[in-house]
Amino acid sequence: MDKLVIEGGVPLQGEIPISGAKNAALPLMAASLLAPGRHVFTNVPRLRDIRTMERLLHHMGARTEHQDALTIDTSSITRPEAPYELVKTMRASVLVLGPLAARHGRARVSLPGGCAIGARPIDLHLRGLQAMGAQVDLEGGYVHVHCERLRGTAFTFDQVTVTGTENLMMAASLAEGETVLENAAREPEVVDLADYLTAMGARIEGVGTAIIRIRGVESLNPGTHRVIPDRIETGTYLVAAGITGGRLRLTHCRPDHVDAVLRKLKDAGMTITQDGETLTAEASHGPIRSINATTWPYPGFPTDMQAQFMALMTLGDGVSIIKEQIFENRFMHVSELRRLGADIVLDGRSAVVRGVPFLSGAPVMATDLRASASLVLAGLAARGRTDVSRIYHLERGYENLDGKLQAVGARIRREKE
């Protein structure tokens, strides 16, 4: 197993290209199950989760090839199921549930796993499918779905769920009649999926708002689609510029997707300029300003940036209060940041961060994907050596992170543990 070794204290300087968004690519891959034939996706990142979804599609009978583009041929889906061995490592596997039910009338999908950042139940997915006429049973850790053709319905999510919105939107695309999803997720990844579904022939209105209307069609056709840039990777490297006192130019961005993050980083004293699809981020000449942040569904401050922002605030000039409103167990990075010298006190769903003059390198252990990124960021700023273990979490969501950081001056390398 590999670990990352970081010799901190180097201001990062240079250019980093932003990769395609994992959280957009995975539902697009699941959407390929809705239409037999050859689907082509460009700008797909090479990540552990992408490979897991490929293996899942192979298990069902699809053929894939990932060269310059990712090609998925779903002409012959012989096993509409997602086994525990694959689903346990990646919660996004549940996204195949809606497409399989809609196209094949049946699905057998293991209850999901993934990052240990709190209970993320799929009950809203299942209730939505039941409202569309599906029979849903739970047996032996698996969800069994059976139906004839799904029927359009009106369904209100009790809470905003990205994967729930995506799953039911895909299912409704082939349902009979109109489906109205209320309190739907508005994330750019949802919009990206809807754009591809529309290109396939789906009839969708209101995407990007809290009410989405889908008028089902008899069939869909495969197509070609470019995955949007990863807004969380963008935010992570913006923080890297600030926490190291450096200057980074990020290319192939969607600045409109990171508005909430940009506002917070500017409030913290960073200088950030935009030129088309490029963002240039520069640290302030004075200390980082301590500011508060609260996570909310999009377009609010993203929960997937909470850990990275906390790493930045550990070096702030005062006290910052960070509230986590999305997941109930997303402060596991706090104890590891403390090992580097951070002053953080937890109070329920809030973290009180008192800025310190500097961080000191130490061995730390990653607990989930975004926690891993926060530890790398803190290590880049810390004095001395930081060893980050269990980096397989990072490989789920960041394409070539150590290589990209090396290219802008970071002293970071992989070693065997």
Side-chain angles (χ1 to χ4, degrees):
M1 189 178 297
D2 288 350
K3 66 179 179 180
L4 287 179
V5 177
I6 306 167
E7 298 287 346
V10 178
L12 303 184
Q13 304 280 345
E15 182 174 297
I16 295 178
I18 299 301
S19 300
K22 176 200 79 159
N23 288 340
L26 292 173
L28 289 166
M29 294 172 73
S32 69
L33 294 167
L34 288 166
R38 188 171 177 268
H39 303 252
V40 180
F41 303 111
T42 60
N43 200 37
V44 177
R46 296 182 180 275
L47 299 169
R48 183 187 294 263
D49 277 8
I50 298 296
R51 294 193 296 271
T52 299
M53 185 64 90
E54 283 192 70
R55 292 200 302 273
L56 178 55
L57 293 173
H58 292 165
H59 174 83
M60 297 180 192
R63 298 189 300 274
T64 70
E65 181 180 355
H66 197 172
Q67 299 297 330
D68 292 338
L70 172 62
T71 302
I72 304 174
D73 190 334
T74 55
S75 298
S76 179
I77 301 300
T78 55
R79 288 190 291 188
E81 64 175 20
Y84 172 73
E85 291 71 24
L86 293 172
V87 175
K88 69 178 181 180
T89 64
M90 185 183 69
R91 183 179 182 274
S93 305
V94 75
L95 286 165
V96 304
L97 193 59
L100 288 176
R103 179 181 160 196
H104 295 276
R106 61 189 177 96
R108 178 177 179 267
V109 177
S110 173
L111 291 171
C115 281
I117 60 174
R120 297 189 284 178
I122 63 167
D123 59 306
L124 294 177
H125 305 233
L126 304 184
R127 284 166 50 193
L129 289 173
Q130 287 175 320
M132 297 170 73
Q135 177 184 335
V136 177
D137 299 296
L138 299 178
E139 181 181 346
Y142 279 78
V143 177
H144 298 260
V145 176
H146 298 275
C147 59
E148 296 298 329
R149 187 180 180 188
L150 295 172
R151 301 187 305 271
T153 189
F155 185 79
T156 301
F157 294 100
D158 291 342
Q159 62 189 56
V160 177
T161 163
V162 174
T163 53
T165 299
E166 291 168 339
N167 229 340
L168 296 189
M169 187 167 63
M170 287 188 282
S173 295
L174 290 178
E176 181 181 359
E178 182 179 77
T179 297
V180 180
L181 303 178
E182 298 195 21
N183 197 28
R186 300 162 60 185
E187 273 73 2
E189 295 80 12
V190 175
V191 177
D192 199 42
L193 174 61
D195 286 345
Y196 184 56
L197 293 173
T198 300
M200 294 169 68
R203 301 167 66 191
I204 304 174
E205 297 176 355
V207 68
T209 75
I211 301 177
I212 301 176
R213 297 179 183 274
I214 309 105
R215 290 188 293 277
V217 297
E218 291 288 337
S219 63
L220 297 169
N221 300 301
T224 299
H225 184 80
R226 180 173 178 81
V227 178
I228 58 173
D230 194 319
R231 61 193 173 99
I232 305 303
E233 183 189 31
T234 302
T236 300
Y237 289 127
L238 289 172
V239 172
I243 201 169
T244 65
R247 185 178 188 273
L248 293 177
R249 186 171 182 265
L250 309 182
T251 61
H252 310 301
C253 299
R254 279 290 300 269
D256 56 318
H257 290 173
V258 290
D259 277 346
V261 174
L262 293 177
R263 287 195 299 270
K264 287 296 180 185
L265 295 182
K266 289 176 181 178
D267 288 347
M270 290 185 64
T271 300
I272 303 175
T273 57
Q274 175 185 343
D275 182 10
E277 295 183 344
T278 298
L279 287 170
T280 301
E282 190 169 2
S284 61
H285 297 294
I288 296 164
R289 289 201 291 267
S290 291
I291 60 171
N292 300 332
T294 300
T295 65
W296 293 106
Y298 189 85
F301 188 83
T303 180
D304 279 355
M305 280 298 302
Q306 178 254 107
Q308 301 92 307
F309 185 75
M310 187 182 295
L312 180 66
M313 289 297 99
T314 63
L315 295 175
D317 63 358
V319 178
S320 171
I321 299 175
I322 300 174
K323 296 182 180 180
E324 174 56 58
Q325 301 281 51
I326 307 300
F327 295 118
E328 73 279 8
N329 193 27
R330 205 164 201 183
F331 283 141
M332 290 188 291
H333 47 282
V334 167
S335 59
E336 300 301 297
L337 288 173
R338 287 173 179 156
R339 290 178 52 79
L340 299 172
D343 183 352
I344 308 171
V345 176
L346 293 181
D347 181 14
R349 287 198 168 196
S350 296
V352 180
V353 186
R354 292 176 172 83
V356 297
F358 61 88
L359 299 174
S360 300
V364 292
M365 181 178 67
T367 54
D368 62 71
L369 171 55
R370 306 307 173 185
S372 306
S374 76
L375 298 178
V376 170
L377 291 170
L380 291 170
R383 297 177 180 178
R385 170 172 166 161
T386 298
D387 290 21
V388 183
S389 61
R390 295 175 66 180
I391 62 168
Y392 57 84
H393 289 294
L394 274 173
E395 294 166 347
R396 290 186 52 229
Y398 289 93
E399 183 178 38
N400 190 29
L401 178 133
D402 47 325
K404 290 183 177 183
L405 288 173
Q406 286 170 355
V408 293
R411 295 179 297 192
I412 182 171
R413 65 184 185 274
R414 284 176 178 254
E415 286 187 2
K416 295 293 183 183
E417 290 200 72

